[in-house]
Amino acid sequence: MFATLSDRLAATFKDLRGKGRLSEADIDATAREIRIALLEADVALPVVKQFVGAVKERARSEEVSQALNPAQQVVKIVDEELVAILGGETRRLRFAKQGPTVIMLAGLQGAGKTTLAAKLALWLKEQGKTPLLVACDLQRPNAVKQLQVNGERVGVPVFAPEPGNGVGDPVGVARASVEEAKRRLHDVVIVDTAGRLGVDAELMQQAADIRDAVQPDEVLFVVDAMIGQDAVTTAQAFLDGVGYDGVVLTKLDGDARGGAALSIASVTGKPVMFASNGEKMTDFDLFHPDRMASRILD
Ligand code: GDP
């Protein structure tokens, strides 16, 4: 992902190489090129405008440091602005001071929630936590089974509905899971919720009801980076309908242009916290805005 964006930006910077000082025309031309590169990569228009405006302003006004030539100075500015739109600092999970930390996952069907739930559980387990996975996706046939299979792969127990345990009632299951976690001394509860193929009111309401029932410490919005421009609209819809604290980008191993996913933090004001980039349970990590920016500019 981001190969096209990377290549285009590299070509833009190449045009600046060897220049002793940047004229107003150089800065305008560079800004135009960066604008095209970002738009072609699917970065959302308001983000592009803000980005290009900031780069132009800084390229004009900042003292060129002794150590950098003008081309390097522009790369540095673009790097810093990329980090800024990606959310700045790496945002880590907040754990509850008392009782189990409840993490709720929300997002469209196919976003990668169920896979991510298990990846996150493994990641937490490797840090000495004792997570409990909770199957509240009672919409998609097989979702419970899939979570159980994934749970087994990572060696983390799954709390799944059984008769009398709230079958067909995801809110009841979610509530019961927190009690179960307290009883069995799990320190983190990861609640997988149902998604639909498109945003719909009933889905939002269900997720909001689960949220109200378990009062999560963190709600994570899970989004497939491959869905292009829709990623930003969906992110906004979930922010309005359910609300969340952070974003998880999935399928970053894909070959889509990815710019829309890069716009989410900037558009919603919510940080990207994790990145998922493959089918293996270990293809998952904290999202580091600075590393992602470096990768794009590499
Ligand atoms: P859910 O409907 O949101 O629970 O989505 P799933 O977890 O079932 O994922 C949908 C599909 O995407 C499955 O085939 C997963 O194997 C696949 N998937 C999930 N995460 C990733 C990822 O990071 N990279 C790739 N390549 N595939 C993924």
Side-chain angles (χ1 to χ4, degrees):
M1 204 166 274
F2 312 122
T4 325
L5 178 59
S6 259
D7 292 350
R8 283 235 42 159
L9 288 175
T12 305
F13 300 142
K14 205 165 148 209
D15 292 342
L16 292 176
R17 237 184 266 158
K19 288 199 189 272
R21 204 178 153 274
L22 296 188
S23 65
E24 199 62 23
D26 290 329
I27 293 174
D28 282 345
T30 306
R32 239 187 338 267
E33 288 296 315
I34 293 173
R35 181 187 162 85
I36 295 170
L38 295 173
L39 286 174
E40 279 186 355
D42 265 353
V43 177
L45 186 58
V47 180
V48 174
K49 283 191 171 154
Q50 186 200 329
F51 189 97
V52 174
V55 171
K56 236 167 131 169
E57 166 73 29
R58 290 183 57 185
R60 263 200 215 110
S61 62
E62 278 178 23
E63 282 289 312
V64 177
S65 97
Q66 294 288 326
L68 302 176
N69 62 40
Q72 289 166 329
Q73 181 84 5
V74 172
V75 175
K76 178 171 172 279
I77 293 173
V78 169
D79 181 60
E80 287 168 4
E81 291 300 321
L82 270 177
V83 173
I85 65 163
L86 293 172
E89 305 253 302
T90 304
R91 158 77 154 80
R92 288 161 200 277
L93 277 177
R94 279 181 305 228
F95 293 99
K97 292 205 175 63
Q98 256 193 336
T101 299
V102 179
I103 302 172
M104 171 178 157
L105 309 178
L108 293 181
Q109 183 173 320
K113 283 184 301 303
T114 305
T115 310
L116 174 95
K119 288 180 175 184
L120 179 61
L122 175 63
W123 186 82
L124 288 165
K125 194 176 130 179
E126 284 173 348
Q127 292 170 43
K129 303 280 182 199
T130 53
L132 176 67
L133 284 162
V134 183
C136 285
D137 181 354
L138 309 182
Q139 220 80 36
R140 183 161 60 88
N142 237 0
V144 174
K145 179 84 197 139
Q146 189 192 337
L147 189 65
Q148 284 167 330
V149 169
N150 283 340
E152 220 158 276
R153 278 170 77 187
V154 297
V156 171
V158 175
F159 185 77
E162 279 163 20
N165 210 357
V167 178
D169 168 21
V171 178
V173 172
R175 205 179 277 124
S177 76
V178 178
E179 292 312 311
E180 170 83 355
K182 285 182 187 158
R183 259 195 311 277
R184 297 192 180 270
L185 302 179
H186 291 285
D187 50 14
V188 184
V189 179
I190 302 171
V191 182
D192 184 21
T193 65
R196 303 272 163 82
L197 288 175
V199 170
D200 86 23
E202 205 186 322
L203 155 90
M204 288 295 173
Q205 193 53 51
Q206 185 183 97
D209 289 345
I210 294 176
R211 183 202 61 207
D212 292 346
V214 298
Q215 306 269 323
D217 297 282
E218 299 274 20
V219 179
L220 302 181
F221 168 64
V222 183
V223 60
D224 177 345
M226 307 268 284
I227 64 173
Q229 297 287 3
D230 283 348
V232 175
T233 341
T234 311
Q236 194 59 53
F238 271 85
L239 190 64
D240 299 338
V242 189
Y244 48 81
D245 306 289
V247 178
V248 183
L249 298 180
T250 67
K251 310 188 196 179
L252 282 178
D253 50 315
D255 58 3
R257 290 173 285 187
L262 297 188
S263 315
I264 292 179
S266 189
V267 170
T268 62
K270 299 295 174 189
V272 179
M273 290 172 61
F274 293 101
S276 180
N277 57 355
E279 300 266 3
K280 287 205 299 290
M281 285 295 139
T282 46
D283 292 333
F284 170 81
D285 206 351
L286 278 171
F287 182 82
H288 299 283
D290 53 344
R291 289 189 208 164
M292 178 57 85
S294 308
R295 238 179 69 197
I296 293 171
L297 294 179
D298 199 10

